[in-house]
Amino acid sequence: MPVHAPPTGSAAFRGAPSPSRRRGLAATLAATLAATLLAFVPSGPAHADPIEGGGDLGPNVIVFDPSTPNIQGRLDEVFKQQESAQFGSGRYQFLFKPGTYNGLNAQLGFYTSVSGLGLSPDDVSINGDVTVDAGWFNGNATQNFWRSAENLSLNPVNGTNRWAVSQAAPFRRMHVKGGLNLAPDGYGWASGGYIADSKIDGSVGPYSQQQWYTRDSQVGGWQNAVWNMTFSGVEGAPAQSFPDPPYTTLETTPISREKPFLHLDGDAYKVFVPEKRTNARGVTWDSGAPAGSSIDLDQFYVVKPGATAQTINAALDQGLNLLFTPGVYHVDETIEVNRADTVVLGLGLATIIPDNGVTAMRVADVDGVKLAGFLIDAGPVNSETLLEVGPEGSSADHSANPTTVQDVFIRIGGAGPGKATTSMVVNSDDTIIDHTWVWRADHGDGVGWETNRADFGVRVNGDDVLATGLFVEHFNKYDVEWYGERGRTIFFQNEKAYDAPNQAAIQNGDTKGYAAYRVDDSVEQHEGWGMGSYCYYNVDPTIRQHNGFQAPVKPGVKFHHLLVVSLGGQGQYERVINDTGEPTSGTSTIPSVVVQFP
């Protein structure tokens, strides 16, 4: 706001006051000026010095090159610590510089990520394996969460790499020069999973995997299916045949943009941001350098444990992107991402915990924000939301440059009491949700029907939102609610809340239970493929859930390949979608399916 000085011509001094009076007027003017300027200074801590970008990646990012001694010993040391640390605070990122590595077996425990630093997976060649198994849990892989492998090529020792995971364990941008086994040793239960932008030269054997989603990849074969195997843009995928066998196959993915990743350019770290693709099929990297651009690390605030929300926001205001190094971050105010094309990238499942009931992160209604690779863990004070993409009423067209949410996971409870009314709200049009697991914990610490209360998982208000790999589980009411037009979901996996104490606790007016996936009656166009909901009401197995899916019956609202499953007869579904589909029954864990709706 401009402040005008008094005129200096002779007329200004007619009848001029005495010197002491002039000093009093000057003091008054100075005070007025200071007050005026202060009114325009933002509240909160001031950052007098600019925040520097770049720097080292901290102690929990472990970087190898082919000459590094005792790589296997370091891998084993972290695995021993993290193998069963499901709700621990350890976070680790292994980075392999380009080159060839021999005789390694990188076993990955919780909150451990392994990545190559080339522009192509083939720049880092491991003659060995990147392994996930379930020995820590007696051969049951249904709790192998929160780990990842990215941007490597593998020559498995016995010809097949084992990746026995469940939710929140992405396998991205990988080249397996052999087969891939998605089941644990002994073929115990598994409940995954997600592959993208990867090439598996041999066959993929899901074996005991209940469901899986593979996007924009190439496979040499696919051996079997249990309940729901979904493919989009996958060369070599099995032909569509749902429900017997239950393959859902789309030739292409309508819109996709691969996750940003860290790489080396000489000795300098950069973050590569791939370009958006439409009607994609196959990997991005098989014909040379991928399409996209790199951002120098000095354009990132490298966030390390102990950083405050105030400093993080000051860095964003300064125009920096964010690179969260492995660790746990408490924030007492919302991280505000307001600049178009901002990248927020986490390493080693970096975890953000909102204190005092704030929203952990909020994105403005701007183009091209990339959120990737981090976990938001609800705090003990209820947050109305944990992640907001766009403010309420967002309406800008982002079709040319959408915001992407990739490998962003949300957890309520498990590591301790946590509460949130709605975990993720998407208000911006054209947003792509590419692999998320939004989970109200069913085990761990701080778990109970009211202890980790969380009524809603994901709410979509924006138009033209696409979800590819949507995992949402155990919410007290609706797991997913969709209000935006022309929404699309390719692959949905859900379990209803195990811990409902009785039928009355989930009663929804005259309806028994809240659908896992509800499209609002106002919506005219919506489409979904390969979608499943399961119930396991182990507190009261007599509970009846009316349906897994609810949607208006309109020509523009279409679903393909739906299923509901009662796990061992612990509760039952009466219908699949609306009042359509056979009820589940007994303890045989056989899905009830609807091939097309309406």
Side-chain angles (χ1 to χ4, degrees):
M1 178 177 182
V3 179
H4 297 284
T8 57
S10 58
F13 287 90
R14 291 187 186 125
S18 66
S20 60
R21 176 66 174 155
R22 289 200 298 272
R23 287 194 295 271
L25 288 172
T28 301
L29 178 61
T32 302
L33 175 61
T36 302
L37 293 175
L38 281 172
F40 289 87
V41 175
S43 61
H47 286 267
D49 299 320
I51 295 170
E52 291 188 9
D56 71 88
L57 300 178
N60 288 349
V61 175
I62 301 162
V63 183
F64 301 127
D65 66 45
S67 66
T68 302
N70 195 28
I71 295 175
Q72 187 65 55
R74 191 71 176 103
L75 294 168
D76 291 345
E77 178 187 357
V78 171
F79 177 66
K80 183 178 180 180
Q81 176 184 319
Q82 298 300 113
E83 180 183 13
S84 58
Q86 184 171 179
F87 298 109
S89 58
R91 303 287 186 273
Y92 293 92
Q93 175 76 55
F94 292 115
L95 297 175
F96 284 83
K97 293 183 179 181
T100 300
Y101 301 78
N102 294 314
L104 296 182
N105 182 16
Q107 299 182 82
L108 299 188
F110 287 97
Y111 314 108
T112 305
S113 297
V114 58
S115 304
L117 285 169
L119 273 177
S120 165
D122 290 334
D123 292 340
V124 178
S125 181
I126 294 178
N127 292 314
D129 297 77
V130 172
T131 302
V132 179
D133 205 346
W136 74 278
F137 201 46
N138 300 315
N140 179 345
T142 58
Q143 293 183 23
N144 280 351
F145 313 139
W146 304 307
R147 63 201 75 196
S148 66
E150 185 173 354
N151 204 28
L152 301 165
S153 67
L154 306 176
N155 288 288
V157 169
N158 69 356
T160 300
N161 190 76
R162 187 185 300 278
W163 186 256
V165 299
S166 288
Q167 292 83 0
F171 197 79
R172 285 185 183 268
R173 201 177 172 76
M174 295 289 287
H175 186 188
V176 181
K177 298 176 180 179
L180 187 64
N181 182 345
L182 303 180
D185 187 29
Y187 303 100
W189 296 333
S191 183
Y194 177 90
I195 293 172
D197 200 24
S198 293
K199 184 178 180 181
I200 293 88
D201 294 348
S203 289
V204 178
Y207 304 113
S208 55
Q209 276 287 352
Q210 295 164 349
Q211 69 279 313
W212 199 275
Y213 174 53
T214 307
R215 178 182 64 71
D216 298 354
S217 294
Q218 180 181 328
V219 298
W222 196 276
Q223 294 186 22
N224 72 289
V226 178
W227 293 337
N228 178 19
M229 300 287 159
T230 300
F231 309 84
S232 67
V234 177
E235 297 172 351
Q240 184 160 293
S241 56
F242 189 92
D244 186 23
Y247 293 133
T248 298
T249 303
L250 286 71
E251 285 295 305
T252 62
T253 304
I255 307 167
S256 57
R257 182 173 62 210
E258 299 306 328
K259 175 187 170 187
F261 61 91
L262 198 65
H263 73 99
L264 277 175
D265 183 0
D267 293 328
Y269 286 108
K270 296 183 177 182
V271 172
F272 189 82
V273 180
E275 286 187 358
K276 185 189 80 167
R277 297 202 291 172
T278 57
N279 298 317
R281 182 172 174 83
V283 300
T284 62
W285 46 267
D286 206 24
S287 300
S293 58
S294 288
I295 304 173
D296 293 343
L297 192 64
D298 64 9
Q299 297 302 304
F300 284 80
Y301 173 45
V302 179
V303 192
K304 296 175 183 173
T308 65
Q310 290 79 13
T311 301
I312 292 168
N313 280 328
L316 288 167
D317 289 344
Q318 193 177 299
L320 293 173
N321 304 286
L322 301 178
L323 180 70
F324 281 90
T325 65
V328 178
Y329 300 85
H330 284 265
V331 296
D332 59 3
E333 65 180 52
T334 300
I335 297 172
E336 301 279 1
V337 183
N338 294 324
R339 179 177 59 84
D341 297 312
T342 300
V343 176
V344 179
L345 178 62
L347 301 178
L349 277 297
T351 301
I352 301 168
I353 302 175
D355 293 333
N356 304 320
V358 302
T359 295
M361 187 176 295
R362 186 180 292 118
V363 179
D365 192 26
V366 295
D367 276 356
V369 171
K370 293 93 179 171
L371 308 180
F374 56 89
L375 169 66
I376 296 174
D377 212 348
V381 178
N382 185 74
S383 294
E384 281 299 309
T385 59
L386 293 172
L387 174 62
E388 295 181 18
V389 181
E392 185 177 353
S394 294
S395 59
D397 180 355
H398 305 296
S399 57
N401 186 13
T403 284
T404 47
V405 181
Q406 300 178 286
D407 302 345
V408 173
F409 309 123
I410 295 178
R411 179 173 67 192
I412 301 94
K419 294 185 178 183
T421 304
T422 305
S423 290
M424 182 190 298
V425 179
V426 178
N427 292 314
S428 286
D429 294 348
D430 308 294
T431 300
I432 300 171
I433 306 169
D434 178 44
H435 189 229
T436 188
W437 186 38
V438 182
W439 185 61
R440 176 182 168 265
D442 61 276
H443 62 273
D445 293 332
V447 171
W449 186 248
E450 296 296 341
T451 307
N452 62 328
R453 182 85 193 186
D455 283 350
F456 308 104
V458 175
R459 178 173 293 149
V460 178
N461 297 317
D463 294 338
D464 301 293
V465 172
L466 171 66
T468 51
L470 183 61
F471 299 73
V472 189
E473 296 189 303
H474 305 310
F475 286 84
N476 294 76
K477 293 184 178 179
Y478 293 114
D479 298 277
V480 174
E481 291 186 288
W482 211 294
Y483 293 88
E485 286 291 348
R486 298 174 300 282
R488 292 176 289 186
T489 295
I490 304 172
F491 185 87
F492 170 69
Q493 188 267 327
N494 165 263
E495 289 179 353
K496 294 303 299 174
Y498 291 176
D499 56 344
N502 48 49
Q503 188 74 48
I506 64 163
Q507 194 67 19
N508 182 12
D510 295 331
T511 302
K512 298 173 184 175
Y514 292 80
Y517 188 105
R518 183 182 81 87
V519 179
D520 191 69
D521 286 345
S522 64
V523 173
E524 296 294 331
Q525 295 183 60
H526 189 91
E527 196 161 8
W529 297 262
M531 306 175 72
S533 176
Y534 321 144
C535 73
Y536 185 72
Y537 289 115
N538 60 344
V539 175
D540 182 359
T542 69
I543 289 176
R544 294 296 178 267
Q545 172 82 25
H546 182 63
N547 53 32
F549 301 88
Q550 180 183 337
V553 181
K554 298 178 181 178
V557 178
K558 302 174 184 178
F559 288 91
H560 317 274
H561 306 174
L562 303 179
L563 65 105
V564 296
V565 181
S566 168
L567 302 178
Q570 304 290 296
Q572 302 288 348
Y573 291 89
E574 295 178 339
R575 293 288 184 265
V576 178
I577 180 168
N578 294 359
D579 297 317
T580 300
E582 294 298 315
T584 59
S585 63
T587 61
S588 57
T589 314
I590 295 176
S592 292
V593 304
V594 167
V595 177
Q596 304 289 346
F597 180 87

Coordinates of all heavy atoms in Angstrom, one line a residue, residues 102 127 260 411 460 463 484 521 556:
N102 N 26.5 -57.6 -8.4 CA 26.5 -59.1 -8.5 C 26.2 -59.7 -7.1 O 26.7 -59.2 -6.1 CB 27.8 -59.6 -9.0 CG 28.1 -59.2 -10.4 OD1 27.2 -59.3 -11.3 ND2 29.3 -58.8 -10.7
N127 N 22.4 -58.5 -10.6 CA 22.4 -59.9 -10.7 C 22.1 -60.5 -9.4 O 22.9 -60.8 -8.6 CB 23.8 -60.4 -11.3 CG 24.0 -59.9 -12.7 OD1 23.2 -60.0 -13.6 ND2 25.2 -59.3 -12.9
P260 N 7.2 -39.2 -10.5 CA 8.6 -38.6 -10.6 C 9.6 -39.4 -9.8 O 9.2 -40.2 -8.9 CB 8.4 -37.2 -9.9 CG 6.9 -36.9 -9.9 CD 6.2 -38.3 -9.9
R411 N -3.2 -43.4 6.6 CA -3.5 -44.4 7.7 C -4.1 -43.7 8.9 O -3.7 -42.6 9.3 CB -2.1 -45.0 8.1 CG -2.3 -46.1 9.2 CD -0.9 -46.8 9.4 NE 0.1 -45.9 9.9 CZ 1.4 -46.2 10.0 NH1 1.8 -47.4 9.5 NH2 2.3 -45.4 10.5
V460 N -14.7 -37.6 -3.8 CA -14.4 -37.0 -5.0 C -15.5 -36.0 -5.4 O -16.6 -36.4 -5.7 CB -14.1 -38.0 -6.1 CG1 -13.8 -37.3 -7.4 CG2 -13.0 -39.0 -5.8
D463 N -14.7 -33.0 -11.3 CA -15.1 -33.6 -12.5 C -13.9 -34.3 -13.2 O -12.8 -33.8 -13.0 CB -15.8 -32.7 -13.4 CG -17.1 -32.1 -12.9 OD1 -17.7 -32.8 -12.1 OD2 -17.6 -31.0 -13.4
G484 N -18.5 -36.0 -8.4 CA -18.1 -35.4 -9.6 C -18.6 -36.1 -10.8 O -18.9 -37.3 -10.8
D521 N -26.5 -39.8 -6.3 CA -27.7 -39.8 -7.2 C -27.7 -38.7 -8.2 O -28.3 -38.8 -9.3 CB -29.0 -39.8 -6.4 CG -29.3 -41.1 -5.7 OD1 -28.7 -42.1 -6.0 OD2 -30.1 -41.1 -4.8
G556 N -25.6 -43.2 -18.4 CA -24.2 -42.8 -18.4 C -23.4 -43.4 -17.2 O -22.2 -43.1 -17.1

